Amino acid sequence: MIATQITIKQIRSALRRWGKYWRQREQGKGFSRQAITEQTGGGHTNYFSSDMMNVPEEIELLGQLISKLRPECIRAIRAKYLLDVELSQAAKMLGFDTKRSAEFWLVKAEKTLMLELSY
């Protein structure tokens, strides 16, 4: 079996894609604007309901790995990759004492993910 080493650059790129994907979903892109039961006339829309959403495999895998991390690591990942604000501002929003504290947990999370994805 050939060992594959994932780099920190690849992890950060994957986390940016993960954050962008979920940020778009949280803003409502891709979901129906009204409940299926409220639709009348059987008109066709270009939006999908949440139960019809197909999450890409890479995003799903990364989400599962993130969910296994320490709570501080999860908050740091959310601060950096999911919120669309500066890290110092996001750190305060998510309960970190300082930007440095958020950076510490972020590096720990990224390194843990790097080890999990390397085999």
Side-chain angles (χ1 to χ4, degrees), residues 1-115:
M1 184 171 172
I2 299 173
T4 304
Q5 181 64 36
I6 303 294
T7 65
I8 195 74
K9 186 177 181 178
Q10 292 169 321
I11 289 294
R12 289 176 177 159
S13 177
L15 284 168
R16 280 191 296 275
R17 287 190 303 274
W18 173 86
K20 182 179 179 184
Y21 179 85
W22 288 115
R23 190 171 45 249
Q24 288 176 345
R25 294 311 173 268
E26 287 181 358
Q27 292 174 350
K29 295 178 184 169
F31 294 100
S32 179
R33 291 189 176 154
Q34 62 183 169
I36 293 173
T37 56
E38 292 178 4
Q39 292 179 355
T40 58
H44 180 70
T45 68
N46 292 331
Y47 295 95
F48 299 100
S49 65
S50 60
D51 59 339
M52 296 170 59
M53 187 171 74
N54 185 16
V55 178
E57 187 176 324
E58 176 193 26
I59 303 297
E60 182 68 31
L61 173 64
L62 206 50
Q64 290 173 358
L65 292 174
I66 290 170
S67 70
K68 295 177 184 177
L69 296 173
R70 291 182 56 142
E72 296 88 353
C73 292
I74 295 171
R75 286 187 314 169
I77 287 174
R78 287 185 59 81
K80 173 71 175 181
Y81 296 104
L82 197 58
L83 298 178
D84 198 19
V85 295
E86 291 286 325
L87 183 59
S88 58
Q89 192 176 10
K92 290 179 185 177
M93 289 171 53
L94 293 177
F96 288 103
D97 294 333
T98 62
K99 177 183 173 185
R100 188 174 177 111
S101 174
E103 288 171 341
F104 169 82
W105 288 108
L106 180 62
V107 169
K108 184 170 182 66
E110 290 170 342
K111 286 182 179 180
T112 303
L113 290 173
M114 189 171 64
L115 291 173

